[in-house]
Amino acid sequence: MAGRIRVGIGGWTFEPWRGVFYPDGLRQKDELAYVGQHLTATEVNATYYGTQKPATFANWAKAVPDGFQFAIKASRFCTNRRVLGEAGESIAKFVNQGIVELGDRLGPILWQFMPTKQFDVDDFAAFLKLLPTHVGGVALRHALEVRHESFDDPAFLALAQNVGAAVVFADHDDYPAIKGHDVGFSYHRLMRTRDDEPTGYTAEEIAAWASMAREQSAKGDVFAFFISGAKVRAPAAAEALIVALR
């Protein structure tokens, strides 16, 4: 059975989207619900910078319809450290802050590493062993976003595959576009939207992303997020991809 393709943006609070994506007069507290009505996922950045309350996750879950999912970016205290193998306490704090309150709205956890972080096979293996498979009875899926060219290495891909972690495919000018092995789901961060293009990417580029997503959905769920670049165009890009996938 084919996986589900979910398409989204980064977060939902961004002032320039008001009057462009969000209709004039929409209350800020209703913006997440609006995202839920028009897109199928969002990537949460707030969890990278600080711990959230269980009630916050519960409220997010209530605001969106069935099938919508939140990809949660892991805390920087887990990934921005010299020795990754010493992140156990930070990882435990992150996964136990209340993300289980999202229930079936919980998508993958995104573990994002600094562009200066280089691949060290032993340290990275130690880090991956710390990633839990479940929390509070809820299964966890992990996606690894690495930004240094040293990770373009069969040893890294093998480590990720062995623990069932997806390797994030990044469309970016500066980061390597690494394609991982099939682990049952895939994760794309599309970061080259342009302001002079109404849908961020051209129609031909959107069609190419749709083709890539369809191909990968044969192996499991697909998550595609329009992030960064000309951020004001991200919702239009996401909506265009959803249309192209129909």
Side-chain angles (χ1 to χ4, degrees), residues 52-212:
Q52 310 298 311
K53 296 177 180 177
T56 298
F57 292 106
N59 288 334
W60 292 348
K62 291 173 189 169
V64 296
D66 288 345
F68 187 98
Q69 289 192 344
F70 295 85
I72 304 296
K73 190 183 288 189
S75 166
R76 55 185 169 162
F77 295 109
C78 302
T79 55
N80 292 358
R81 54 175 60 235
R82 190 176 64 82
V83 181
L84 292 173
E86 297 175 354
E89 188 176 331
S90 295
I91 290 172
K93 180 180 179 183
F94 168 76
V95 299
N96 289 299
Q97 68 183 298
I99 61 175
V100 294
E101 296 297 328
L102 290 172
D104 61 5
R105 268 82 161 163
L106 177 62
I109 296 174
L110 174 66
W111 304 88
Q112 184 184 79
F113 299 87
M114 298 285 281
T116 52
K117 189 64 179 176
Q118 298 186 39
F119 178 50
D120 177 312
V121 63
D122 293 331
D123 192 37
F124 218 82
F127 175 82
L128 294 179
K129 286 179 182 176
L130 299 172
L131 301 185
T133 57
H134 292 77
V135 60
V138 176
L140 300 180
R141 289 178 288 182
H142 302 290
L144 310 171
E145 186 184 18
V146 294
R147 295 178 159 188
H148 192 276
E149 59 191 13
S150 61
F151 283 91
D152 195 1
D153 183 323
F156 165 63
L157 297 177
L159 285 176
Q161 186 180 33
N162 287 343
V163 299
V167 174
V168 172
F169 174 83
D171 182 47
H172 192 278
D173 291 330
D174 302 321
Y175 308 144
I178 301 173
K179 292 185 178 179
H181 298 297
D182 171 29
V183 293
F185 80 100
S186 60
Y187 198 119
H188 309 279
R189 301 185 88 235
L190 309 176
M191 298 180 275
R192 284 199 278 204
T193 49
R194 301 182 294 282
D195 196 43
D196 61 353
E197 194 63 56
T199 55
Y201 285 91
T202 65
E204 292 76 16
E205 290 167 330
I206 294 288
W209 294 132
S211 178
M212 183 176 177

